[in-house]
Amino acid sequence: MTNTNLEFKTEVKQLLDLMIHSLYSHKEIFLRELISNASDALDRARYEALMNSSITENDGDWKIKIIIDKPAGALTISDNGIGMTKEEIIEALGTIAHSGYKAFLSTLQNKEIKDNPELIGQFGVGFYSSFMVADKVTVISRKAGTDRNNGVKWESSADGFFTIEDIEKEKKGTDVILHLKPDERKYLEEWEIRGIIKKYSDYIEHPVVMDVEREKDSELKKGEKVLIREEETLNSMKAIWLKDKSAITEDEYNEFYKHISHDFSDPAKVIHFKAEGTSEFTALLYIPSRSPFDIYFKDIKTGPSLYVKRVQIMDHCEQLIPGYLRFVKGVVDSSDLPLNVSREILQKNHQIELINKNITRRVLDALADMKKNEYDKYLSFYKELGRVLKEGIYFDVSRREAIADLLLFQSTQRPAGAYTTLQEYIDNMKEGQEGIFYVLGASREEVIKSPYLEAFNDKGYEVLIMLDEADDFVMSTLQEYKGHKIKSVIKGDIKLDRPDEKEKEAERKFETLMALIKEQLKDEVKDVRLSGRLKDTACCLVADEGGMDPQVEKLLKSMGQKTPENKRILEINPSHPIFEAMNKIFGKDQKSAVLDEYIKLLYDQALLLEGSKPKDPAAFAGAVIKLMVKEAERVS
Ligand code: ADP
């Protein structure tokens, strides 16, 4: 095969289309992306050379060279790194590896991108961003350690196709040649390139060089100047995380964050520290202000990059941070680990465990600090990522309380949009209140009207509102906070008052009626009892203490999951006149058809109130209309 024409995968065509037609701002980031790819290629070559020195091909002077060719209108980014084989280049520059990316891309509309370029920026637009400024891109590459005639030339004009050609390439590595669009020729100006590199790539740890013309004193004729071309390094190469905190500006911190995260927004918090003692390392970590798009994807790459003495070992080291903090981005540079540390070794490495412990604590402390001192910022972080953080309640038993301190909740006693913490809830508890109560629902409006809250409202007890199904799980895992039991208003036998004479009397009074109801509904409910939570509503269904919330059950069912047979308990409100009336009928005729029908109706209503549907909606509607007709006939 010498010259082959190949078609881009659909998602690449889509991406290129968006890139070319929708992204107008921040075009200069193409250079950051290409330099970053080149730098990764150098990192990989340097790392692999540790195991196999022959791949350096006697050129271990790792660098990235920018070449400006004004007459040709071309800008080249060249590296002497790992390079690509023909198969690799077809795969890398013809498809998009990230599966979530494809899915996300297909949901985006051009218009949306145009208004919010950061939507696409957050994935790292990568190599394809070249086409924002170039109408044709040529990539020439050869894999390090292979023969010189194993070179490959890739070329495309972003018209849906690319060509592949076998060529000779003397030096290992990759040249990316951008044939700039006529109105993007400013990227051939030396000062423009200098500025962009200073802004976006200053901390790249490999030199980014360019040949520049400079006046110099002539060595031949004293007093005269001559023009020479000389290679100059454009970046300071100082690893930002190793610099002194006081020498780093907020802008520099933010730029570095954007570089590693591909996020367009500034981070919510920067955590930069040096640990000494049993484990020596430097960490520069960031808490984002927005949720990364792939936070719930299975193939998300998590964890900060791991460096050992400034040499990058891996891009994402997931062992460095627990899953519930997977939104944290950054760099960890260790002085203790061996350079050739492998993924297998990392799995059970003591040093890594120590680092993980240390940074987990730092991140939780930083969040606590943010909550205390920068509440608005914390609130917007929490709305974006609180759901991920909450996973820690389940997965990190040892830090359960610290994580619980970070939780925020809406409540029945706060206006919509205002939040409370568990500590504030406790401080707001009424005299004699036993427990922290919560209710789960689909929306605040619906929950507020729930009959399950009647007795709580009556007593002035605050109830936390949970709008996320995962919350039920989180709260049942948490069980208690600072010695106060956490209870769902819809589960267990809730008695806000101690049982008194009145209740015992009611129990005696309705004993036989309740037995009848229980007998009639024996296939539907587990038990029938007097309710401690209703004031105005006649009856409701509740779950056992450890049972499943009906909202959660509904969710699981909608996802096609089997839920355990989960019969509820029917609670009746002894002070409601309907039971008084039913008791009278019962006294007269235990077999009354009216009783029979009322019991069915009460049960169906209770189903409606918990958000379920009557088993036989037609029968329910029929029974209601019959009652309406009867009443209409009576009053007319
Ligand atoms: P990303 O860098 O996020 O993976 P890109 O689209 O920028 O996405 O690049 C795709 C792939 O192409 C890279 O993962 C890498 O395998 C390969 N690649 C790009 N540039 C180079 C380069 N200069 N040297 C070697 N491989 C490269």
Side-chain angles (χ1 to χ4, degrees):
M1 176 174 92
T2 48
N3 197 339
T4 321
N5 213 12
L6 295 168
E7 199 173 350
F8 283 119
K9 286 267 154 46
T10 321
E11 65 274 8
V12 179
K13 284 191 207 164
Q14 253 176 318
L15 177 64
L16 285 173
D17 193 53
L18 289 171
M19 200 84 78
I20 296 166
H21 298 112
S22 307
L23 274 182
Y24 297 111
S25 55
H26 299 94
K27 277 190 182 179
E28 78 268 16
I29 58 145
F30 80 91
L31 193 57
R32 172 186 77 187
E33 299 291 324
L34 295 179
I35 289 178
S36 163
N37 282 349
S39 169
D40 290 348
L42 297 178
D43 284 341
R44 274 196 54 205
R46 186 178 53 183
Y47 179 63
E48 285 186 20
L50 292 171
M51 273 79 82
N52 173 11
S53 61
S54 71
I55 70 149
T56 57
E57 301 181 12
N58 293 323
D59 175 16
D61 183 15
W62 311 113
K63 64 180 167 191
I64 300 160
K65 185 154 187 163
I66 311 285
I67 303 154
I68 291 175
D69 182 348
K70 277 195 179 172
L75 179 71
T76 299
I77 294 89
S78 169
D79 69 69
N80 57 350
I82 193 73
M84 288 175 271
T85 63
K86 184 157 60 181
E87 290 70 33
E88 282 169 350
I89 209 168
I90 292 174
E91 177 68 21
L93 308 185
T95 57
I96 293 172
H98 202 308
S99 60
Y101 196 170
K102 287 186 212 168
F104 188 82
L105 205 56
S106 57
T107 64
L108 285 184
Q109 302 290 317
N110 276 9
K111 163 101 180 59
E112 220 177 327
I113 296 268
K114 208 174 204 160
D115 297 341
N116 309 291
E118 70 280 4
L119 276 180
I120 195 156
Q122 62 171 324
F123 314 108
V125 280
F127 167 78
Y128 300 109
S129 63
S130 317
F131 288 102
M132 294 197 290
V133 296
D135 40 29
K136 186 168 83 177
V137 178
T138 311
V139 182
I140 295 173
S141 191
R142 179 169 66 74
K143 184 86 173 180
T146 65
D147 207 59
R148 58 187 292 166
N149 53 23
N150 279 326
V152 56
K153 179 174 158 188
W154 178 105
E155 195 164 78
S156 177
S157 305
D159 52 358
F161 296 90
F162 60 95
T163 57
I164 289 286
E165 199 181 326
D166 296 317
I167 54 150
E168 255 191 33
K169 186 175 187 300
E170 195 198 322
K171 283 186 168 177
K172 67 177 187 302
T174 305
D175 300 340
V176 178
I177 306 160
L178 308 179
H179 307 275
L180 295 173
K181 294 177 185 172
D183 50 355
E184 304 293 351
R185 294 280 161 94
K186 65 168 183 284
Y187 298 114
L188 296 173
E189 299 300 335
E190 191 186 302
W191 58 268
E192 181 78 30
I193 297 294
R194 272 178 194 278
I196 301 173
I197 288 174
K198 202 79 205 150
K199 181 165 176 205
Y200 293 114
S201 312
D202 194 50
Y203 33 75
I204 292 280
E205 56 159 322
H206 303 286
V208 181
V209 304
M210 183 162 69
D211 286 340
V212 294
E213 281 188 344
R214 231 199 305 206
E215 272 192 346
K216 225 181 161 187
D217 291 333
S218 167
E219 283 172 7
L220 298 174
K221 283 189 181 164
K222 262 207 160 357
E224 273 192 26
K225 300 265 182 201
V226 285
L227 213 53
I228 57 148
R229 278 183 81 74
E230 214 177 38
E231 196 172 271
E232 186 187 322
T233 301
L234 306 178
N235 58 332
S236 74
M237 291 185 283
K238 197 130 194 229
I240 181 173
W241 60 92
L242 297 180
K243 283 195 194 172
D244 200 44
K245 268 165 111 163
S246 59
I248 310 172
T249 65
E250 193 181 334
D251 262 3
E252 283 174 313
Y253 272 133
N254 291 351
E255 271 315 323
F256 184 67
Y257 166 71
K258 290 175 189 172
H259 166 70
I260 55 170
S261 67
H262 300 290
D263 189 351
F264 270 43
S265 335
D266 288 337
K269 191 97 184 163
V270 182
I271 308 167
H272 187 187
F273 66 96
K274 199 174 157 88
E276 272 154 0
T278 42
S279 169
E280 288 196 9
F281 66 93
T282 300
L284 172 54
L285 305 169
Y286 295 92
I287 299 171
S289 50
R290 296 177 352 154
S291 176
F293 79 100
D294 54 356
I295 195 82
Y296 292 111
F297 288 165
K298 275 208 194 82
D299 56 356
I300 179 180
K301 293 196 182 117
T302 63
S305 320
L306 176 63
Y307 282 70
V308 173
K309 302 189 188 84
R310 290 197 59 188
V311 176
Q312 193 187 48
I313 302 300
M314 63 185 67
D315 233 3
H316 297 279
C317 180
E318 62 181 40
Q319 288 82 7
L320 284 176
I321 204 138
Y324 63 93
L325 297 179
R326 61 185 176 276
F327 45 81
V328 172
K329 312 265 178 188
V331 171
V332 170
D333 195 336
S334 157
S335 326
D336 305 322
L337 289 165
L339 261 178
N340 59 352
V341 59
S342 66
R343 285 187 190 274
E344 292 69 44
I345 292 178
L346 285 177
Q347 299 284 349
K348 37 189 181 300
N349 183 283
H350 181 58
Q351 287 299 333
I352 293 283
E353 269 170 40
L354 287 177
I355 300 177
N356 179 312
K357 267 206 183 118
N358 193 325
I359 64 186
T360 303
R361 182 173 51 80
R362 297 270 189 163
V363 172
L364 293 179
D365 285 353
L367 288 171
D369 180 70
M370 202 155 101
K371 180 168 139 272
K372 190 163 164 222
N373 299 313
E374 298 172 288
Y375 184 74
D376 289 346
K377 213 182 214 184
Y378 182 74
L379 183 60
S380 63
F381 155 81
Y382 191 82
K383 284 183 184 162
E384 288 277 320
L385 288 156
R387 203 169 169 208
V388 179
L389 182 66
K390 272 185 237 167
E391 293 171 14
I393 296 283
Y394 181 73
F395 289 109
D396 196 344
V397 183
S398 65
R399 297 193 187 82
R400 200 166 270 172
E401 181 137 334
I403 302 166
D405 282 334
L406 294 169
L407 302 180
L408 299 179
F409 303 98
Q410 298 204 49
S411 99
T412 50
Q413 294 192 355
R414 321 248 160 183
Y419 289 77
T420 179
T421 60
L422 288 171
Q423 184 59 52
E424 282 166 340
Y425 181 98
I426 294 180
D427 297 342
N428 190 30
M429 267 167 44
K430 288 272 176 298
E431 182 85 29
Q433 177 176 344
E434 284 176 6
I436 298 172
F437 297 103
Y438 71 93
V439 58
L440 198 71
S443 73
R444 187 190 158 83
E445 294 69 38
E446 189 184 306
V447 165
I448 288 277
K449 286 183 254 162
S450 164
Y452 296 96
L453 297 181
E454 284 169 0
F456 295 91
N457 291 340
D458 199 56
K459 285 205 143 304
Y461 288 3
E462 185 170 17
V463 176
L464 300 173
I465 299 174
M466 314 272 160
L467 299 177
D468 178 357
E469 289 83 3
D471 283 334
D472 189 51
F473 193 55
V474 169
M475 294 319 254
S476 1
T477 307
L478 195 54
Q479 285 183 15
E480 60 171 51
Y481 179 77
K482 300 202 172 156
H484 300 275
K485 281 234 168 321
I486 297 178
K487 302 175 188 170
S488 159
V489 301
I490 201 162
K491 289 186 205 171
D493 191 7
I494 287 189
K495 295 253 187 297
L496 300 186
D497 295 309
R498 307 236 155 263
D500 56 12
E501 262 318 299
K502 229 171 103 195
E503 187 178 326
K504 285 194 193 119
E505 191 196 316
E507 248 165 34
R508 278 194 297 273
K509 186 166 155 193
F510 293 112
E511 198 182 350
T512 41
L513 177 65
M514 283 206 293
L516 176 77
I517 300 176
K518 198 164 158 180
E519 173 56 28
Q520 194 179 321
L521 296 176
K522 67 175 186 292
D523 293 336
E524 322 293 340
V525 302
K526 199 165 13 186
D527 198 9
V528 178
R529 67 178 177 219
L530 296 183
S531 181
R533 60 192 105 203
L534 297 176
K535 286 280 157 201
D536 306 318
T537 304
C539 60
C540 68
L541 287 165
V542 303
D544 260 345
E545 193 85 55
M548 194 181 271
D549 191 284
Q551 295 285 340
V552 177
E553 196 177 313
K554 238 192 328 192
L555 177 84
L556 290 177
K557 278 195 178 134
S558 74
M559 296 188 321
Q561 297 215 13
K562 275 215 167 78
T563 51
E565 178 68 32
N566 194 10
K567 276 193 193 166
R568 307 233 189 282
I569 296 157
L570 181 74
E571 286 195 351
I572 65 171
N573 175 2
S575 49
H576 198 282
I578 186 67
F579 294 108
E580 201 67 52
M582 283 170 77
N583 228 11
K584 270 193 197 143
I585 302 175
F586 185 72
K588 279 192 207 146
D589 174 11
Q590 297 196 2
K591 298 221 158 56
S592 161
V594 175
L595 277 183
D596 208 52
E597 184 156 358
Y598 279 19
I599 291 171
K600 270 193 212 131
L601 267 172
L602 283 168
Y603 176 64
D604 281 348
Q605 283 180 43
L607 279 172
L608 282 171
L609 287 173
E610 73 156 21
S612 307
K613 244 173 41 183
K615 258 192 179 161
D616 184 348
F620 175 70
V624 172
I625 201 76
K626 213 166 100 189
L627 289 179
M628 286 167 72
V629 170
K630 234 187 232 160
E631 178 65 3
E633 281 171 357
R634 191 180 67 81
V635 295
S636 61

